[in-house]
Amino acid sequence: MSKAEINSGICGHLATVGAKMDGKVCKLTIRSDCKAIQQIGQELMEVNPYEEISSKRAIPKTLQMGLKHCYHAACPVPVGIIKAIEVEAKLALPKDAVIKVSKDGSSKD
């Protein structure tokens, strides 16, 4: 099983994603204190990893769910879900992705 822990930033919401391959599909467990992410977790329970890693043919289901349920376009959770799927499907190595945001050259961690 692959896991992603996502801190969404200023909203203060946390999400945990579990991804487990079952044949050719990736089964997901998505937990969060955010109602929008909870709705994604209720609808997005399994995906085809190859359909999630590219948007050339169609918009990935994960991003569709983000557009449908997330209140904020910059929410990093949908992308974090895709990262967990990639790692579980052996389409990427596990490595943290980081977005650092600052104003006037200062950073607050």
Side-chain angles (χ1 to χ4, degrees):
M1 177 182 276
S2 296
K3 183 177 174 183
E5 295 176 351
I6 306 156
N7 180 331
S8 294
I10 197 68
C11 69
H13 292 298
L14 304 173
T16 303
V17 179
K20 178 75 175 146
M21 288 301 296
D22 185 10
K24 293 184 179 187
V25 300
C26 188
K27 299 205 175 206
L28 301 168
T29 52
I30 301 168
R31 307 263 189 262
S32 179
D33 52 348
C34 171
K35 292 188 186 308
I37 302 306
Q38 291 170 7
Q39 291 173 324
I40 291 173
Q42 290 171 359
E43 285 189 48
L44 192 69
M45 300 183 80
E46 67 179 39
V47 295
N48 176 332
Y50 291 97
E51 293 174 358
E52 296 303 299
I53 63 167
S54 176
S55 58
K56 294 294 181 190
R57 293 184 187 185
I59 297 172
K61 286 182 185 178
T62 305
L63 296 180
Q64 289 177 36
M65 292 296 107
L67 292 170
K68 180 178 178 183
H69 295 294
C70 287
Y71 309 117
H72 193 237
C75 178
V77 175
V79 172
I81 294 168
I82 293 173
K83 297 300 283 179
I85 293 165
E86 288 179 328
V87 170
E88 181 60 20
K90 297 183 172 78
L91 300 171
L93 294 171
K95 176 77 173 139
D96 289 346
V98 177
I99 301 170
K100 289 194 174 231
V101 181
S102 62
K103 184 173 177 170
D104 298 329
S106 64
S107 164
K108 300 224 178 202
D109 291 329

